[in-house]
PDB file of all heavy atoms in Angstrom:
ATOM      1  N   ASP A   1       6.440   1.472   4.020  1.00  0.00           N
ATOM      2  CA  ASP A   1       7.205   1.888   2.798  1.00  0.00           C
ATOM      3  C   ASP A   1       6.418   1.326   1.608  1.00  0.00           C
ATOM      4  O   ASP A   1       5.461   0.535   1.660  1.00  0.00           O
ATOM      5  CB  ASP A   1       8.574   1.088   2.833  1.00  0.00           C
ATOM      6  CG  ASP A   1       9.496   1.760   3.880  1.00  0.00           C
ATOM      7  OD1 ASP A   1       9.271   2.909   4.218  1.00  0.00           O
ATOM      8  OD2 ASP A   1      10.439   1.025   4.316  1.00  0.00           O
ATOM      9  N   CYS A   2       6.764   2.041   0.492  1.00  0.00           N
ATOM     10  CA  CYS A   2       6.031   1.736  -0.815  1.00  0.00           C
ATOM     11  C   CYS A   2       6.953   1.947  -1.850  1.00  0.00           C
ATOM     12  O   CYS A   2       7.192   2.938  -2.501  1.00  0.00           O
ATOM     13  CB  CYS A   2       4.798   2.752  -0.856  1.00  0.00           C
ATOM     14  SG  CYS A   2       3.740   2.442  -2.253  1.00  0.00           S
ATOM     15  N   SER A   3       7.653   0.828  -2.350  1.00  0.00           N
ATOM     16  CA  SER A   3       8.643   0.925  -3.314  1.00  0.00           C
ATOM     17  C   SER A   3       8.126   1.183  -4.650  1.00  0.00           C
ATOM     18  O   SER A   3       8.835   1.995  -5.500  1.00  0.00           O
ATOM     19  CB  SER A   3       9.378  -0.448  -3.376  1.00  0.00           C
ATOM     20  OG  SER A   3       9.919  -0.785  -2.024  1.00  0.00           O
ATOM     21  N   VAL A   4       7.052   0.552  -5.045  1.00  0.00           N
ATOM     22  CA  VAL A   4       6.497   0.842  -6.398  1.00  0.00           C
ATOM     23  C   VAL A   4       4.981   0.720  -6.395  1.00  0.00           C
ATOM     24  O   VAL A   4       4.380   0.254  -5.342  1.00  0.00           O
ATOM     25  CB  VAL A   4       7.082  -0.258  -7.414  1.00  0.00           C
ATOM     26  CG1 VAL A   4       8.511  -0.138  -7.754  1.00  0.00           C
ATOM     27  CG2 VAL A   4       6.581  -1.724  -7.007  1.00  0.00           C
ATOM     28  N   TRP A   5       4.307   1.205  -7.437  1.00  0.00           N
ATOM     29  CA  TRP A   5       2.835   1.003  -7.564  1.00  0.00           C
ATOM     30  C   TRP A   5       2.742   0.068  -8.802  1.00  0.00           C
ATOM     31  O   TRP A   5       3.016   0.426  -9.924  1.00  0.00           O
ATOM     32  CB  TRP A   5       2.200   2.328  -7.847  1.00  0.00           C
ATOM     33  CG  TRP A   5       0.749   2.175  -8.287  1.00  0.00           C
ATOM     34  CD1 TRP A   5       0.185   2.421  -9.493  1.00  0.00           C
ATOM     35  CD2 TRP A   5      -0.306   1.528  -7.506  1.00  0.00           C
ATOM     36  NE1 TRP A   5      -1.079   2.062  -9.542  1.00  0.00           N
ATOM     37  CE2 TRP A   5      -1.447   1.476  -8.342  1.00  0.00           C
ATOM     38  CE3 TRP A   5      -0.416   0.992  -6.260  1.00  0.00           C
ATOM     39  CZ2 TRP A   5      -2.688   0.994  -7.913  1.00  0.00           C
ATOM     40  CZ3 TRP A   5      -1.704   0.532  -5.790  1.00  0.00           C
ATOM     41  CH2 TRP A   5      -2.704   0.558  -6.611  1.00  0.00           C
ATOM     42  N   ASN A   6       2.214  -1.108  -8.467  1.00  0.00           N
ATOM     43  CA  ASN A   6       1.789  -2.102  -9.554  1.00  0.00           C
ATOM     44  C   ASN A   6       0.698  -2.970  -9.027  1.00  0.00           C
ATOM     45  O   ASN A   6       0.112  -2.792  -7.947  1.00  0.00           O
ATOM     46  CB  ASN A   6       3.027  -2.819 -10.001  1.00  0.00           C
ATOM     47  CG  ASN A   6       3.676  -3.676  -8.888  1.00  0.00           C
ATOM     48  OD1 ASN A   6       3.120  -3.884  -7.770  1.00  0.00           O
ATOM     49  ND2 ASN A   6       4.975  -3.953  -9.016  1.00  0.00           N
ATOM     50  N   ALA A   7       0.370  -4.015  -9.835  1.00  0.00           N
ATOM     51  CA  ALA A   7      -0.679  -4.951  -9.491  1.00  0.00           C
ATOM     52  C   ALA A   7      -0.475  -5.598  -8.173  1.00  0.00           C
ATOM     53  O   ALA A   7      -1.451  -5.936  -7.348  1.00  0.00           O
ATOM     54  CB  ALA A   7      -0.985  -5.842 -10.562  1.00  0.00           C
ATOM     55  N   LYS A   8       0.862  -5.926  -7.849  1.00  0.00           N
ATOM     56  CA  LYS A   8       1.280  -6.567  -6.704  1.00  0.00           C
ATOM     57  C   LYS A   8       1.071  -5.643  -5.469  1.00  0.00           C
ATOM     58  O   LYS A   8       0.609  -6.214  -4.444  1.00  0.00           O
ATOM     59  CB  LYS A   8       2.633  -6.994  -6.791  1.00  0.00           C
ATOM     60  CG  LYS A   8       3.152  -7.903  -5.587  1.00  0.00           C
ATOM     61  CD  LYS A   8       4.554  -8.391  -5.876  1.00  0.00           C
ATOM     62  CE  LYS A   8       5.043  -9.266  -4.741  1.00  0.00           C
ATOM     63  NZ  LYS A   8       6.463  -9.797  -4.980  1.00  0.00           N
ATOM     64  N   THR A   9       1.329  -4.471  -5.632  1.00  0.00           N
ATOM     65  CA  THR A   9       1.006  -3.487  -4.513  1.00  0.00           C
ATOM     66  C   THR A   9      -0.460  -3.424  -4.232  1.00  0.00           C
ATOM     67  O   THR A   9      -0.817  -3.513  -3.161  1.00  0.00           O
ATOM     68  CB  THR A   9       1.550  -2.119  -4.847  1.00  0.00           C
ATOM     69  OG1 THR A   9       2.882  -2.115  -5.460  1.00  0.00           O
ATOM     70  CG2 THR A   9       1.566  -1.108  -3.636  1.00  0.00           C
ATOM     71  N   GLU A  10      -1.261  -3.334  -5.301  1.00  0.00           N
ATOM     72  CA  GLU A  10      -2.735  -3.221  -5.120  1.00  0.00           C
ATOM     73  C   GLU A  10      -3.200  -4.481  -4.455  1.00  0.00           C
ATOM     74  O   GLU A  10      -4.144  -4.517  -3.611  1.00  0.00           O
ATOM     75  CB  GLU A  10      -3.404  -3.037  -6.487  1.00  0.00           C
ATOM     76  CG  GLU A  10      -4.841  -2.793  -6.390  1.00  0.00           C
ATOM     77  CD  GLU A  10      -5.457  -2.321  -7.713  1.00  0.00           C
ATOM     78  OE1 GLU A  10      -4.740  -2.621  -8.725  1.00  0.00           O
ATOM     79  OE2 GLU A  10      -6.536  -1.837  -7.780  1.00  0.00           O
ATOM     80  N   ALA A  11      -2.612  -5.680  -4.830  1.00  0.00           N
ATOM     81  CA  ALA A  11      -3.161  -6.965  -4.155  1.00  0.00           C
ATOM     82  C   ALA A  11      -2.727  -6.968  -2.747  1.00  0.00           C
ATOM     83  O   ALA A  11      -3.351  -7.567  -1.889  1.00  0.00           O
ATOM     84  CB  ALA A  11      -2.410  -8.054  -4.980  1.00  0.00           C
ATOM     85  N   LEU A  12      -1.524  -6.454  -2.384  1.00  0.00           N
ATOM     86  CA  LEU A  12      -1.078  -6.435  -1.025  1.00  0.00           C
ATOM     87  C   LEU A  12      -2.029  -5.681  -0.126  1.00  0.00           C
ATOM     88  O   LEU A  12      -2.514  -6.140   0.981  1.00  0.00           O
ATOM     89  CB  LEU A  12       0.336  -5.817  -0.985  1.00  0.00           C
ATOM     90  CG  LEU A  12       0.965  -5.740   0.504  1.00  0.00           C
ATOM     91  CD1 LEU A  12       1.277  -7.142   1.023  1.00  0.00           C
ATOM     92  CD2 LEU A  12       2.247  -4.896   0.474  1.00  0.00           C
ATOM     93  N   ILE A  13      -2.547  -4.520  -0.663  1.00  0.00           N
ATOM     94  CA  ILE A  13      -3.398  -3.629   0.022  1.00  0.00           C
ATOM     95  C   ILE A  13      -4.816  -4.395   0.129  1.00  0.00           C
ATOM     96  O   ILE A  13      -5.525  -4.245   1.131  1.00  0.00           O
ATOM     97  CB  ILE A  13      -3.543  -2.222  -0.611  1.00  0.00           C
ATOM     98  CG1 ILE A  13      -2.207  -1.550  -0.462  1.00  0.00           C
ATOM     99  CG2 ILE A  13      -4.574  -1.449   0.165  1.00  0.00           C
ATOM    100  CD1 ILE A  13      -2.148  -0.330  -1.329  1.00  0.00           C
ATOM    101  N   GLY A  14      -5.180  -4.985  -0.949  1.00  0.00           N
ATOM    102  CA  GLY A  14      -6.479  -5.640  -1.063  1.00  0.00           C
ATOM    103  C   GLY A  14      -7.640  -4.833  -0.746  1.00  0.00           C
ATOM    104  O   GLY A  14      -7.741  -3.599  -1.213  1.00  0.00           O
ATOM    105  N   ASP A  15      -8.597  -5.329   0.000  1.00  0.00           N
ATOM    106  CA  ASP A  15      -9.877  -4.686   0.441  1.00  0.00           C
ATOM    107  C   ASP A  15      -9.734  -4.071   1.692  1.00  0.00           C
ATOM    108  O   ASP A  15     -10.814  -3.699   2.293  1.00  0.00           O
ATOM    109  CB  ASP A  15     -10.992  -5.574   0.294  1.00  0.00           C
ATOM    110  CG  ASP A  15     -10.983  -6.793   1.325  1.00  0.00           C
ATOM    111  OD1 ASP A  15      -9.909  -6.812   1.994  1.00  0.00           O
ATOM    112  OD2 ASP A  15     -11.958  -7.502   1.434  1.00  0.00           O
ATOM    113  N   THR A  16      -8.592  -3.779   2.148  1.00  0.00           N
ATOM    114  CA  THR A  16      -8.399  -3.087   3.545  1.00  0.00           C
ATOM    115  C   THR A  16      -8.631  -1.605   3.379  1.00  0.00           C
ATOM    116  O   THR A  16      -8.559  -1.041   2.232  1.00  0.00           O
ATOM    117  CB  THR A  16      -7.012  -3.424   4.231  1.00  0.00           C
ATOM    118  OG1 THR A  16      -6.017  -2.773   3.274  1.00  0.00           O
ATOM    119  CG2 THR A  16      -6.811  -4.790   4.343  1.00  0.00           C
ATOM    120  N   ASP A  17      -8.936  -0.949   4.484  1.00  0.00           N
ATOM    121  CA  ASP A  17      -9.069   0.524   4.459  1.00  0.00           C
ATOM    122  C   ASP A  17      -7.812   1.274   4.794  1.00  0.00           C
ATOM    123  O   ASP A  17      -7.433   1.298   5.906  1.00  0.00           O
ATOM    124  CB  ASP A  17     -10.078   0.842   5.557  1.00  0.00           C
ATOM    125  CG  ASP A  17     -10.495   2.240   5.636  1.00  0.00           C
ATOM    126  OD1 ASP A  17     -10.111   3.030   4.663  1.00  0.00           O
ATOM    127  OD2 ASP A  17     -11.169   2.722   6.579  1.00  0.00           O
ATOM    128  N   LEU A  18      -7.023   1.490   3.680  1.00  0.00           N
ATOM    129  CA  LEU A  18      -5.728   2.043   3.902  1.00  0.00           C
ATOM    130  C   LEU A  18      -5.736   3.428   4.383  1.00  0.00           C
ATOM    131  O   LEU A  18      -6.201   4.390   3.765  1.00  0.00           O
ATOM    132  CB  LEU A  18      -4.911   2.015   2.575  1.00  0.00           C
ATOM    133  CG  LEU A  18      -3.444   2.311   2.656  1.00  0.00           C
ATOM    134  CD1 LEU A  18      -2.629   1.269   3.405  1.00  0.00           C
ATOM    135  CD2 LEU A  18      -2.772   2.586   1.242  1.00  0.00           C
ATOM    136  N   LYS A  19      -5.169   3.658   5.698  1.00  0.00           N
ATOM    137  CA  LYS A  19      -5.189   5.044   6.232  1.00  0.00           C
ATOM    138  C   LYS A  19      -3.849   5.643   6.139  1.00  0.00           C
ATOM    139  O   LYS A  19      -3.775   6.888   6.088  1.00  0.00           O
ATOM    140  CB  LYS A  19      -5.498   4.796   7.818  1.00  0.00           C
ATOM    141  CG  LYS A  19      -6.853   4.274   7.977  1.00  0.00           C
ATOM    142  CD  LYS A  19      -7.936   5.271   7.566  1.00  0.00           C
ATOM    143  CE  LYS A  19      -9.407   4.788   7.898  1.00  0.00           C
ATOM    144  NZ  LYS A  19     -10.362   5.864   7.343  1.00  0.00           N
ATOM    145  N   TYR A  20      -2.693   4.905   6.112  1.00  0.00           N
ATOM    146  CA  TYR A  20      -1.289   5.565   6.148  1.00  0.00           C
ATOM    147  C   TYR A  20      -0.453   4.887   5.311  1.00  0.00           C
ATOM    148  O   TYR A  20      -0.533   3.579   5.095  1.00  0.00           O
ATOM    149  CB  TYR A  20      -0.825   5.471   7.678  1.00  0.00           C
ATOM    150  CG  TYR A  20      -1.613   6.084   8.711  1.00  0.00           C
ATOM    151  CD1 TYR A  20      -2.415   5.283   9.617  1.00  0.00           C
ATOM    152  CD2 TYR A  20      -1.681   7.504   8.853  1.00  0.00           C
ATOM    153  CE1 TYR A  20      -3.223   5.946  10.595  1.00  0.00           C
ATOM    154  CE2 TYR A  20      -2.460   8.057   9.777  1.00  0.00           C
ATOM    155  CZ  TYR A  20      -3.190   7.328  10.656  1.00  0.00           C
ATOM    156  OH  TYR A  20      -3.988   7.922  11.668  1.00  0.00           O
ATOM    157  N   ILE A  21       0.544   5.566   4.813  1.00  0.00           N
ATOM    158  CA  ILE A  21       1.790   5.021   4.245  1.00  0.00           C
ATOM    159  C   ILE A  21       2.883   5.511   5.249  1.00  0.00           C
ATOM    160  O   ILE A  21       3.282   6.723   5.279  1.00  0.00           O
ATOM    161  CB  ILE A  21       2.083   5.584   2.821  1.00  0.00           C
ATOM    162  CG1 ILE A  21       0.864   5.345   2.017  1.00  0.00           C
ATOM    163  CG2 ILE A  21       3.309   4.961   2.272  1.00  0.00           C
ATOM    164  CD1 ILE A  21       0.912   6.037   0.612  1.00  0.00           C
ATOM    165  N   LEU A  22       3.410   4.589   5.948  1.00  0.00           N
ATOM    166  CA  LEU A  22       4.353   4.781   6.981  1.00  0.00           C
ATOM    167  C   LEU A  22       5.855   4.627   6.434  1.00  0.00           C
ATOM    168  O   LEU A  22       6.218   3.503   6.112  1.00  0.00           O
ATOM    169  CB  LEU A  22       4.164   3.926   8.142  1.00  0.00           C
ATOM    170  CG  LEU A  22       2.821   4.026   8.840  1.00  0.00           C
ATOM    171  CD1 LEU A  22       2.832   2.809   9.943  1.00  0.00           C
ATOM    172  CD2 LEU A  22       2.484   5.312   9.333  1.00  0.00           C
ATOM    173  N   LEU A  23       6.515   5.581   6.301  1.00  0.00           N
ATOM    174  CA  LEU A  23       7.843   5.636   5.630  1.00  0.00           C
ATOM    175  C   LEU A  23       8.917   5.484   6.682  1.00  0.00           C
ATOM    176  O   LEU A  23       9.009   6.253   7.576  1.00  0.00           O
ATOM    177  CB  LEU A  23       8.178   6.809   4.582  1.00  0.00           C
ATOM    178  CG  LEU A  23       7.188   6.900   3.493  1.00  0.00           C
ATOM    179  CD1 LEU A  23       7.331   8.197   2.690  1.00  0.00           C
ATOM    180  CD2 LEU A  23       7.192   5.688   2.649  1.00  0.00           C
ATOM    181  N   THR A  24       9.806   4.507   6.547  1.00  0.00           N
ATOM    182  CA  THR A  24      10.917   4.356   7.409  1.00  0.00           C
ATOM    183  C   THR A  24      12.021   5.357   7.178  1.00  0.00           C
ATOM    184  O   THR A  24      12.765   5.752   8.042  1.00  0.00           O
ATOM    185  CB  THR A  24      11.520   2.973   7.432  1.00  0.00           C
ATOM    186  OG1 THR A  24      11.977   2.683   5.975  1.00  0.00           O
ATOM    187  CG2 THR A  24      10.402   1.954   7.787  1.00  0.00           C
TER     188      THR A  24
END
């Protein structure tokens, strides 16, 4: 899930290699 896009979202993802946005 991805409620909003903001600095906190970016920090959550960090330096990982994001492959999927899994929506419930």
